[in-house]
Amino acid sequence: MQQLDDATRTELEAAAFRRLLQHLDANKDVQNIDLMILADFCRNCLSKWLVAAAQERGTELDYESAREYVYGMPYSEWKDHYQQPATPEQLAALEARQKAKERS
């Protein structure tokens, strides 16, 4: 990637990000808590990162707009249709992940 000019690299990164969002959209059964347990990020994190990137560039982007972009619909709608209640096992795994992060 070092041989690419900045514009091309940015275009490729943006395309990969869009593909990630498409992949998450096609796999709505993958719950945010599962993403947090396995990879320490979720759809909400992506939304927050978009807002932070906008702020770094002096552009205003509110969190709800970013979430709607990431989720492909208003968050409340996605939550009503696709979010499942966290199981005790998922909650325990997330807590263990958080504790492991604190120790490292």
Side-chain angles (χ1 to χ4, degrees):
M1 294 278 289
Q2 291 86 3
Q3 76 278 13
L4 301 174
D5 62 84
D6 288 345
T8 302
R9 187 180 64 255
T10 299
E11 289 174 16
L12 295 175
E13 291 166 346
F17 180 75
R18 288 190 298 271
R19 182 65 185 101
L20 172 61
L21 293 181
Q22 290 169 355
H23 185 75
L24 289 171
D25 189 54
N27 293 279
K28 291 179 178 78
D29 58 315
V30 176
Q31 297 294 299
N32 282 334
I33 193 166
D34 295 321
L35 291 168
M36 289 297 294
I37 292 164
L38 295 172
D40 199 30
F41 84 97
C42 69
R43 293 169 181 89
N44 291 325
C45 296
L46 293 172
S47 303
K48 291 174 185 175
W49 297 341
L50 277 172
V51 171
Q55 289 174 341
E56 289 168 5
R57 287 156 183 80
T59 301
E60 189 163 326
L61 175 63
D62 68 271
Y63 181 54
E64 289 307 315
S65 295
R67 286 210 306 191
E68 188 166 336
Y69 178 74
V70 169
Y71 283 91
M73 63 186 71
Y75 175 67
S76 59
E77 185 179 325
W78 191 93
K79 189 175 174 181
D80 289 343
H81 287 90
Y82 304 107
Q83 185 168 312
Q84 301 297 313
T87 66
E89 294 81 10
Q90 287 172 315
L91 292 172
L94 182 60
E95 184 178 347
R97 169 101 171 150
Q98 296 300 323
K99 286 182 180 177
K101 276 181 28 181
E102 291 170 8
R103 288 190 295 260
S104 58

